[in-house]
Amino acid sequence: MAVPKSLQAPLQLKIFSNGFLVIWCILAAFPIVWIAVMSFKTPFDAFSSNPLNVILGPNTRANGNGLSLADLIIGTGLACLLIYGALKWLPRQIARFAPQGMPLFGWLIGVLVYGIFTLILYFAVLPNVMDVLNPLLGLLGQDIVGVTTEHYRAVWIDRNFTRNFGNSMMVTAGVVTISLTVGTLAGYGLARYGTDLAFWLLIIALIFRALPHSVLMAGYLPVFIWSSEILSPILGDAAPTLYGKPWAVIIVLVSINQPFTIWMLRSFFHNIPAELDEAARVDGCSHFQAFRRVIMPVMWPGVITAGLFSFLLAYNDFLVTSLLLDGQNMTMVPAIAGMFNRETTASDEVQAIAAAVSITAPLFVLVLVFQRQIVSGLTAGAVKG
Amino acid sequence: MFLMLIFIAAPLVTVFWNSFHITKPIYKQVEVETCTPGFLKTTCVTSFRQLPVLNAQGKVTTETFFVGLDSYRNVLELDRLQVALARWDLNAVNNINFWKALRFTLVFTILTMPLVIGMGLLISLAVNGTVHLIKGPVIFISLLPFIITPVIGALAIRWLFVGDGILTAGLEAFLQRDISMFAQGWTIEILMYIYRVWHVAPFAFVVFYAGLQSVNQDIMESAVIDGANRWQRLRYITIPHLMPLIIFVMLIHLMDAYRVFEEVIGFSSQAYVISLQWLTYDFLMPDEAGTRAISRASASSILTLIGIVILLIFPLRRAWRDRRGSA
């Protein structure tokens, strides 16, 4: 769309607004980039008051962990190659090898294999190759940046962060699956047949958005703690104590999130013309078949958007998980809060930073892949609400 | 639908009921004689001890009784408030947990709102004006603060300032004085405001940016022909066009800011600054003895609930009237 000459901004305004944008981008990205840098340094460097020390990490380098200029060049080059490969080469291979009609499965395997390949390349092959190469390169081969992965190793291996990661995955997977299943069916039903309910749904979704989660937790918590006594008349001795089980968290998070998901999916299904399923019915599909064969292929964008938001809610939650789970079953976010509260040594602190970066990394990938869906989800709520 | 109703309504009812009742173990006084062998003759001391009554299964019996508004009184600490108010001592009011939390929550909500709206508007206008090529990356970077786990985001900001972190060092060099950001309440509060604006501005930006795409270009051009300058065009065309979206963002922000909680965790500011939701959370967490103050938590959450109803009653009434009008 060409902007008419009369509406174009004068030069000063352009400079001002672009300058402002640059500042905003730095502001937005800086804290995240910075903790990522900090997580690779020894505590002494990470909390140094001189920013150059944090980036170059002289103390880390002195400990014998460093990268030379040649390392950096080759590493970056490889990364570029790998990203290029992931964008161009990988989809073609997946299209070739994936079994017919199961593209999702193919993608899953493909991404997994590619990820493992990358990890092996960076952590097993490259260090050994560079160890041989660096002395031969002279000045280029000298360490200039201190980098260490010891904190990541400490967090993931010594501190059993994998278990927290597993718990997080379990809770998020449960929440996303249940809320999408219920949400799709209810949303579809409401979009096609509900008339007055939609408004009330919106109100309920709004109220739930407004309710502080702790208010709900005050109601749920006693019930879960005493659940074995409450359920025992029905289930007998097998009645479980729900407190401390991931199931309890899933139930609570789903019920917090459900009105919003249903409402979002309802407005999405509303935009799919009803003639589509009518045509399917005319062609002899049953009610369910019409949904299965006609609606399901076109509903994915909306489902992905709604799924993203339930994922974010479950993944980012601190309050519900920290109240309902005990030490062993903690998900990642409360676990890290426990980590920095101890704060005994400086290296604990850097380990907490490494854990924080590990938590953020999946979200980063998520934005990278699903940017469009997130933006459309955010605006859809606004434009229709 | 029915299930949903259960999951929504049941907890609220329990909370309400709990807030008027209190459950605690029954204690009885037991006379205990402890004897220690001594020289010539054992010394015996008789003392009274409180022991929990055990039932047939060997569990502690508890009883629940109606305490009326006692839990509320415990949370509100009205007597202390009265004393403080009588002496016109605002600091004393600020020492009572509930009022401290209420003060912070309200100030937080009101202060961050215009900042978020302003930031969002500025960014969206700036992005709208730049070349097409960099819009994608800018939106990507802008989304990062929004999508990051709130506790982690708060931690990230904290790590920049903690101790002699680089930003504190920078400020010290700039102001020529020693600063420690986490030693007093007001600096932490400022950091919290900054964090919240950083976290929510992208949301406002994305919403406003979407709204900017549908500004009617014809009206813009006719405004130019009528001699409106850039500022007037912004004031009389763009802003009114975005008004529904601004109200929407305000509403969402109102709800979210009222629930402020993660900042308190991320900045570990319990000693200085607490929020209403954190208060309930604290009651719910087991204390050293392992008991959770459920009735007090319920009372404080009912009070929180009353607050949100008061805040939201006007927007909701408007929505209701709009609906009546359109139907």
Side-chain angles (χ1 to χ4, degrees), chain A residues 274-287 289-290 294:
Chain A
E275 284 80 12
L276 213 58
D277 29 341
E278 273 164 27
R281 295 296 300 279
V282 170
D283 285 350
C285 279
S286 77
H287 226 92
Q289 272 176 330
V294 178

Side-chain angles (χ1 to χ4, degrees), chain B residues 153-211:
Chain B
L155 280 175
I157 305 263
R158 165 194 150 110
W159 280 320
L160 292 181
F161 285 99
V162 79
D164 266 335
I166 49 151
L167 287 190
T168 313
L171 270 180
E172 277 172 354
F174 185 66
L175 296 175
Q176 299 291 330
R177 50 181 288 197
D178 205 34
I179 301 171
S180 66
M181 291 305 262
F182 290 92
Q184 59 277 40
W186 63 273
T187 40
I188 299 183
E189 248 183 88
I190 290 175
L191 281 186
M192 284 171 157
Y193 300 143
I194 293 176
Y195 161 72
R196 185 46 78 116
V197 173
W198 177 74
H199 180 59
V200 189
F203 168 67
F205 149 62
V206 169
V207 172
F208 293 153
Y209 180 67

Side-chain angles (χ1 to χ4, degrees), chain A residues 62-113:
Chain A
N63 285 356
N65 301 302
L67 290 178
S68 67
L69 206 57
D71 284 334
L72 287 179
I73 293 170
I74 293 181
T76 330
L78 257 181
C80 288
L81 266 181
L82 281 171
I83 291 172
Y84 181 80
L87 290 179
K88 292 268 143 89
W89 179 79
L90 193 64
R92 239 183 295 141
Q93 294 303 308
I94 287 171
R96 178 132 52 98
F97 286 110
Q100 270 301 309
M102 294 168 78
L104 194 73
F105 183 70
W107 271 102
L108 220 63
I109 298 286
V111 169
L112 209 66
V113 169

Side-chain angles (χ1 to χ4, degrees), chain A residues 29-351:
Chain A
F30 179 72
I32 300 168
V33 173
W34 199 253
I35 59 168
V37 170
M38 277 166 93
S39 67
F40 285 108
K41 309 290 152 144
T42 54
F44 186 78
D45 282 334
F47 288 101
S48 161
S49 55
N50 181 353
L52 262 183
N53 277 352
V54 183
I55 294 174
L56 295 177
N59 185 270
T60 319
R61 199 171 61 212
N63 285 356
N65 301 302
L67 290 178
S68 67
L69 206 57
D71 284 334
L72 287 179
I73 293 170
I74 293 181
T76 330
L78 257 181
C80 288
L81 266 181
L82 281 171
I83 291 172
Y84 181 80
L87 290 179
K88 292 268 143 89
W89 179 79
L90 193 64
R92 239 183 295 141
Q93 294 303 308
I94 287 171
R96 178 132 52 98
F97 286 110
Q100 270 301 309
M102 294 168 78
L104 194 73
F105 183 70
W107 271 102
L108 220 63
I109 298 286
V111 169
L112 209 66
V113 169
Y114 204 76
I116 292 173
F117 172 71
T118 311
L119 280 183
I120 291 177
L121 197 67
Y122 266 85
F123 288 99
V125 179
L126 208 58
N128 292 329
V129 173
M130 292 320 288
D131 276 348
V132 180
L133 226 59
N134 270 335
L136 302 177
L137 287 173
L139 199 63
L140 270 184
Q142 247 156 41
D143 290 353
I144 53 161
V145 180
V147 168
T148 169
T149 49
E150 62 177 300
H151 304 297
Y152 286 95
R153 209 172 303 138
V155 166
W156 281 93
I157 297 168
D158 302 344
R159 293 222 178 181
N160 251 337
F161 207 57
T162 31
R163 176 152 65 202
N164 298 329
F165 179 75
N167 284 322
S168 269
M169 286 301 109
M170 205 157 119
V171 168
T172 40
V175 169
V176 171
T177 328
I178 296 179
S179 66
L180 279 190
T181 320
V182 177
T184 331
L185 294 175
Y188 178 69
L190 280 174
R192 288 291 178 267
Y193 311 106
T195 47
D196 213 38
L197 272 175
F199 174 76
W200 290 111
L201 195 68
L202 175 62
I203 293 292
I204 292 176
L206 266 182
I207 290 175
F208 247 59
R209 186 123 199 177
L211 269 189
H213 295 169
S214 63
V215 172
L216 285 173
M217 284 312 296
Y220 280 122
L221 196 62
V223 178
F224 281 131
I225 291 176
W226 300 319
S227 62
S228 70
E229 276 138 69
I230 295 170
L231 289 176
S232 59
I234 312 167
L235 296 176
D237 283 338
T241 303
L242 284 172
Y243 172 77
K245 300 283 185 311
W247 274 112
V249 179
I250 293 176
I251 292 173
V252 174
L253 286 178
V254 164
S255 57
I256 286 176
N257 194 29
Q258 204 49 260
F260 177 70
T261 316
I262 295 181
W263 179 70
M264 203 168 173
L265 283 167
R266 189 206 75 92
S267 54
F268 179 77
F269 280 121
H270 213 73
N271 289 343
I272 297 178
E275 284 80 12
L276 213 58
D277 29 341
E278 273 164 27
R281 295 296 300 279
V282 170
D283 285 350
C285 279
S286 77
H287 226 92
F288 184 72
Q289 272 176 330
F291 179 74
R292 161 92 188 67
R293 297 186 178 213
V294 178
I295 300 297
M296 263 173 82
V298 292
M299 75 178 183
W300 291 116
V303 172
I304 288 177
T305 311
L308 273 176
F309 280 87
S310 1
F311 175 87
L312 281 181
L313 178 98
Y315 191 82
N316 286 346
D317 178 81
F318 174 84
L319 201 145
V320 175
T321 37
S322 73
L323 276 175
L324 267 185
L325 297 177
D326 43 21
Q328 294 188 326
N329 286 328
M330 275 299 179
T331 52
M332 290 196 285
V333 180
I336 186 182
M339 224 178 260
F340 75 78
N341 269 340
R342 237 179 295 135
E343 219 173 280
T344 41
T345 61
S347 91
D348 269 1
E349 193 89 338
V350 185
Q351 279 174 17

Side-chain angles (χ1 to χ4, degrees), chain A residues 4 6-7, chain B residues 216-226 233:
Chain A
S6 57
L7 288 183
Chain B
N216 192 334
Q217 290 297 318
D218 293 344
I219 296 183
M220 270 299 190
E221 275 179 60
S222 47
V224 175
I225 292 167
D226 288 350
R233 266 177 279 153

